[in-house]
Amino acid sequence: MSIFSFFRSAPRPSAVQAKERLQIVMAHERAGRTGPDYLPMLQQELLAVIAKYIDIDQNKVEVKLDRGGDCSTLELNIELPAREAAKALKEAAKAAVGKANGAAAHDDEVSDSVKMAAGGGALTNGGVKKRR
Amino acid sequence: MGKIIVMTSGKGGVGKTTSSAAFATGLALRGFKTVVIDFDVGLRNLDLVMGCERRVVFDFINVINGEAKLNQALIKDKRIDNLYILPTSQTRDKDALTKEGVEKVLNELSKEFDYILCDSPAGIERGALMSLYFADHAIIVTNPEVSSVRDSDRILGVLNSKSRRAERGEEPVTQQLLLTRYDPERVERGEMLKVDDVLEILAIPLLGVIPESQAVLRASNVGMPVILDEHSNAGQAYIDAVGRFLGEDLEHRFVSVPKKGLFSRLLRRTA
């Protein structure tokens, strides 16, 4: 044993990590065993509420769960589409530009103008965090 | 009335069949009339571990389906009196295990035998559920390793909710832990979960600790339950575990690294 290793803190034995990981995951599994697995239902209902007001794309929903020792996080990221009004405007603009140029080659410019018309924020991100 | 024991684990490859063979043999050696049943339909292996694979004519499924009498399917062990093996089918699938069929066979066996040991397949599907449904006692075979411990906890949950005793609201199935493939040297190096760690997590009484041992493979090679290798650590640990199951208070052996003698310590110092 060299004199330096005396000062270095010993690495945490892997068995200790195994025990801690097991304790955390099994505490959650035991708690979940008694009740129904509510996460998928919670997700569906939350989305239903949001969908009632906003036309959301189901493929642009991200659900993340991080189970920790004393605190778990449920993160719901939903990408909101351009507002209905903005959509209509976009279509109108497209049609106008299409008429003017006789081609649809200016899509980028069109979306830019639409974004501005919609107040510069057609796309917004919504995040829900829950602590328990 | 015979007692029904299930040897179960959730995870595969942890030593259920090895332990079933050893335990059944140990109970028979103590004078109890014992039968060990293979519930792993389609993946029969208890016959090989017990060394009676060439004597299988009829099986558990034949008896359930009424194609053979129970006495025709039971194989009497050649080494030990009081020990019988009921092999399973290698060709059918697990759906052949009906609750009514299994119950009928177990009822018939419990009139004649003191202990009926059910060797569960891995998983929590039909075969495993049928093997534990009628149990009075459960022996949970676990390796000191994360996936095995987690699966054992899962199977404990199943025992507490889906066994007949649980369904009827009777006294719960007794549960005891058999920790197998334990390596005290790796535990000392901090590479393996300690007995106490596993006990703390699973919170069930300890029936025995079977050390990792080369004797287990040697025994299965020749179709002999390892408990008959009385010189091996594993064999002795199984003998102790059977004693504890029968209510004896025995100290746990093979759980720590044996202290090195003066001679080997001197050798190490000069090396």
Side-chain angles (χ1 to χ4, degrees), chain B:
Chain B
M1 279 293 277
K3 291 275 178 219
I4 301 175
I5 309 169
V6 60
M7 191 73 74
T8 187
S9 70
K11 191 177 180 297
V14 296
K16 282 183 298 295
T17 302
T18 302
S19 298
S20 293
F23 226 80
T25 307
L27 288 169
L29 281 171
R30 292 297 195 99
F32 295 102
K33 195 168 180 190
T34 306
V35 58
V36 55
I37 310 176
D38 192 346
F39 271 78
D40 204 348
V41 185
L43 293 166
R44 164 166 101 198
N45 277 317
L46 182 68
D47 54 337
L48 267 178
V49 176
M50 292 293 296
C52 64
E53 70 279 5
R54 294 198 295 181
R55 296 165 62 203
V56 178
V57 185
F58 294 112
D59 59 54
F60 189 22
I61 306 301
N62 290 139
V63 180
I64 287 178
N65 292 342
E67 295 152 357
K69 290 259 184 287
L70 184 55
N71 283 335
Q72 295 175 307
L74 284 173
I75 301 174
K76 189 180 183 316
D77 191 86
K78 283 191 167 166
R79 295 156 294 214
I80 292 134
D81 282 340
N82 293 330
L83 180 59
Y84 291 79
I85 301 111
L86 183 55
T88 192
S89 166
Q90 180 70 321
T91 51
R92 316 275 179 103
D93 62 37
K94 311 254 189 223
D95 294 334
L97 289 173
T98 60
K99 201 179 265 183
E100 297 71 29
V102 174
E103 183 173 24
K104 207 184 82 194
V105 175
L106 290 181
N107 280 343
E108 208 172 321
L109 286 170
S110 72
K111 284 180 208 150
E112 220 182 304
F113 287 88
D114 298 312
Y115 286 106
I116 300 154
L117 207 157
C118 304
D119 181 23
S120 168
I124 48 171
E125 319 271 313
R126 183 164 200 91
L129 289 178
M130 281 302 110
S131 72
L132 66 78
Y133 186 75
F134 299 97
D136 302 305
H137 307 282
I139 299 174
I140 315 297
V141 185
T142 307
N143 290 167
E145 175 266 327
V146 286
S147 50
S148 175
V149 174
R150 184 196 211 175
D151 290 359
S152 293
D153 189 62
R154 183 84 178 84
I155 212 80
L156 287 170
V158 173
L159 275 164
N160 288 332
S161 61
K162 296 199 175 147
S163 61
R164 182 167 70 173
R165 281 172 175 270
E167 279 184 4
R168 290 182 174 178
E170 295 171 354
E171 203 154 297
V173 181
T174 61
Q175 301 161 343
Q176 289 171 298
L177 176 72
L178 190 64
L179 194 61
T180 57
R181 306 200 67 168
Y182 194 72
D183 187 339
E185 284 189 18
R186 300 199 75 181
V187 171
E188 201 159 86
R189 287 203 297 269
E191 293 175 2
M192 186 180 268
L193 289 165
K194 289 196 276 276
V195 182
D196 292 341
D197 292 340
V198 182
L199 286 176
E200 188 187 328
I201 294 168
L202 292 179
I204 55 171
L206 181 64
L207 182 61
V209 179
I210 312 299
E212 174 80 65
S213 165
Q214 299 191 351
V216 174
L217 179 60
R218 280 201 303 269
S220 77
N221 284 342
V222 298
M224 176 186 87
V226 71
I227 198 168
L228 293 177
D229 183 355
E230 291 158 20
H231 301 294
S232 69
N233 288 355
Q236 291 174 29
Y238 274 117
I239 292 173
D240 287 2
V242 170
R244 279 185 214 105
F245 183 82
L246 296 171
E248 292 164 18
D249 185 19
L250 301 165
E251 202 186 328
H252 290 278
R253 297 190 277 168
F254 320 114
V255 289
S256 53
V257 184
K259 291 271 182 292
K260 284 212 171 78
L262 179 68
F263 188 65
S264 55
R265 262 190 291 173
L266 280 173
L267 272 179
R268 194 169 157 236
R269 192 152 293 179
T270 53

